[in-house]
Amino acid sequence: MYEVEVKVAADLNAVAERLEELGAERTGEVVQVDTYYDAPHRDFAETDEALRVRRETEDGDTEARITYKGPLVESESKTREEHETPVEDGETADAVFENLGFEPAATVEKDRRFYRWDGYTVTLDDVSGVGEFVEVETETDEAGVEAAREGAFEVLQELGLDPDDQTRTSYLGLLLGDAS
Amino acid sequence: MYEVEVKVAADLNAVAERLEELGAERTGEVVQVDTYYDAPHRDFAETDEALRVRRETEDGDTEARITYKGPLVESESKTREEHETPVEDGETADAVFENLGFEPAATVEKDRRFYRWDGYTVTLDDVSGVGEFVEVETETDEAGVEAAREGAFEVLQELGLDPDDQTRTSYLGLLLGDAS
């Protein structure tokens, strides 16, 4: 399975209005607070890895999960090894990593509103300290990647956005870029 | 709160019979499989730390948890900093640590039968590759430590065991000692 995802900077109020006009289904809203860690024995920026503790709050309930992301194994499809599991207590997960010598490097906080439109998930992300972005994504098999990408571009255009504005940098990358 | 714990090698069948005779309440049975990790950047044997992923199975249900144990902060009471949280998926927790460069160092597997007797928890541990042990433990405030230890010795004697046989080495230590 491949995840096809296109992300552009956008005015979220304008996009939300457009989605309402189109009659897109609003499917949820969450707040995600992600703490990314530096390792004591490796430079994750060089190894292209990430260790994250995420808190996701939906309807007042908060769930924590730990995630390891490995380096890109195939750059065209942006495929990575990823291991993620919910943990009962996020503070304890933080304490385990910090005691092992990992240090909080950056926190990415975003408010995410989800819509469903034309076979795609459209996510309106308000990322603290970074800006507002729209992500259009879907899953497909290998043969369908190109068509899925074209379809995502069409959805962007329907929303009044320009596929040429696409950014491939992660929110963490954008945040650290802003800070440097 | 202090945990007072006394552990001696014992013939578990004989102790179980004695507990039945005394009318001790049997409170449960679990199987624990503990994977201890070596760190890529520290020698845990030197720093007196431990990182563990535990699977505990009770009545057919298995729960996983990750635990960090810090060095002794006070040797008399064997007090350590400890951080432990359940995780939804133990294999994923293993994968996170292994991808970060931690390596499985040893696995301690034990069958634990719990009894309640005279204010103490009596645990019959059958530890694979190590042997059979009885642990007698209770919690107390600082002022009660000495009396609690005396009480634990009395329970051992009631069970036909000799407090002088006490071992202070962890099962991991005993396992690694056997292997070296």
Side-chain angles (χ1 to χ4, degrees):
Chain A
M1 219 44 164
Y2 288 77
E3 195 179 75
V4 171
E5 178 188 301
V6 180
K7 177 169 73 184
V8 300
D11 173 342
L12 296 190
N13 282 339
V15 174
E17 266 180 41
R18 181 69 185 139
L19 284 161
E20 303 291 334
E21 283 170 19
L22 289 167
E25 181 196 359
R26 188 162 171 179
T27 53
E29 176 164 7
V30 301
V31 173
Q32 290 175 345
V33 181
D34 296 342
T35 303
Y36 287 88
Y37 283 90
D38 279 341
H41 58 307
R42 287 184 197 165
D43 182 350
F44 281 164
E46 266 181 31
T47 58
D48 190 24
E49 298 170 277
L51 175 65
R52 182 180 73 194
V53 176
R54 166 170 286 178
R55 273 104 176 152
E56 182 170 293
T57 303
E58 184 171 9
D59 295 331
D61 292 325
T62 299
E63 188 188 75
R65 49 183 61 208
I66 57 176
T67 307
Y68 166 85
K69 293 188 185 202
L72 286 178
V73 291
E74 207 266 280
S75 69
E76 186 62 29
S77 59
K78 295 192 73 179
T79 305
R80 296 175 181 278
E81 186 174 348
E82 182 171 318
H83 300 282
E84 181 170 85
T85 179
V87 296
E88 195 170 292
D89 182 33
E91 277 66 42
T92 299
D94 287 324
V96 168
F97 289 123
E98 289 180 27
N99 275 284
L100 291 172
F102 293 79
E103 290 186 2
T107 299
V108 177
E109 179 166 354
K110 57 184 174 294
D111 185 302
R112 319 194 79 181
R113 282 179 276 168
F114 301 109
Y115 291 82
R116 191 78 195 153
W117 176 247
D118 202 18
Y120 287 82
T121 298
V122 179
T123 308
L124 279 51
D125 284 339
D126 183 358
V127 189
S128 293
V130 179
E132 298 186 347
F133 295 85
V134 171
E135 284 190 357
V136 177
E137 64 183 279
T138 192
E139 290 189 339
T140 179
D141 58 16
E142 191 171 358
V145 167
E146 201 43 49
R149 193 175 292 126
E150 288 303 319
F153 288 167
E154 283 167 27
V155 169
L156 281 177
Q157 285 165 332
E158 283 183 283
L159 299 176
L161 301 169
D162 185 348
D164 288 343
D165 292 342
Q166 185 180 357
T167 175
R168 295 176 186 276
T169 310
S170 69
Y171 293 135
L172 176 62
L174 293 169
L175 182 71
L176 295 179
D178 280 350
S180 68
Chain B
M1 219 43 164
Y2 289 77
E3 195 179 75
V4 170
E5 179 187 301
V6 180
K7 178 170 72 183
V8 300
D11 174 342
L12 295 191
N13 281 340
V15 174
E17 265 180 42
R18 182 68 185 138
L19 284 161
E20 304 290 335
E21 283 169 20
L22 290 167
E25 181 195 359
R26 187 161 172 180
T27 53
E29 176 165 7
V30 300
V31 173
Q32 289 175 345
V33 181
D34 296 343
T35 303
Y36 287 88
Y37 283 88
D38 279 340
H41 58 307
R42 288 183 195 166
D43 182 350
F44 281 165
E46 266 182 32
T47 58
D48 189 23
E49 299 170 277
L51 175 65
R52 180 179 74 194
V53 176
R54 166 170 287 178
R55 274 105 175 149
E56 181 169 293
T57 303
E58 183 171 11
D59 296 331
D61 292 324
T62 299
E63 188 189 74
R65 49 184 60 208
I66 57 176
T67 308
Y68 166 85
K69 294 188 185 202
L72 286 180
V73 291
E74 207 267 279
S75 69
E76 186 62 30
S77 58
K78 296 191 74 179
T79 305
R80 295 176 183 277
E81 186 174 349
E82 183 171 317
H83 300 282
E84 181 170 84
T85 179
V87 296
E88 194 169 292
D89 183 33
E91 277 66 42
T92 298
D94 288 325
V96 169
F97 289 123
E98 289 180 28
N99 274 284
L100 291 172
F102 293 78
E103 289 186 1
T107 299
V108 177
E109 179 166 353
K110 57 184 175 295
D111 186 302
R112 319 194 79 181
R113 281 179 277 169
F114 301 108
Y115 291 82
R116 192 77 195 155
W117 176 246
D118 202 18
Y120 287 82
T121 298
V122 179
T123 308
L124 279 51
D125 283 339
D126 182 357
V127 189
S128 293
V130 179
E132 298 186 347
F133 295 84
V134 171
E135 285 190 355
V136 177
E137 65 183 277
T138 192
E139 289 190 341
T140 179
D141 58 16
E142 191 171 358
V145 167
E146 200 44 49
R149 192 175 293 126
E150 288 304 317
F153 288 167
E154 283 167 28
V155 170
L156 282 176
Q157 285 164 332
E158 283 184 283
L159 299 176
L161 301 169
D162 185 348
D164 289 343
D165 292 342
Q166 185 179 358
T167 175
R168 294 175 186 277
T169 310
S170 68
Y171 294 135
L172 175 63
L174 292 169
L175 183 71
L176 294 178
D178 280 352
S180 69

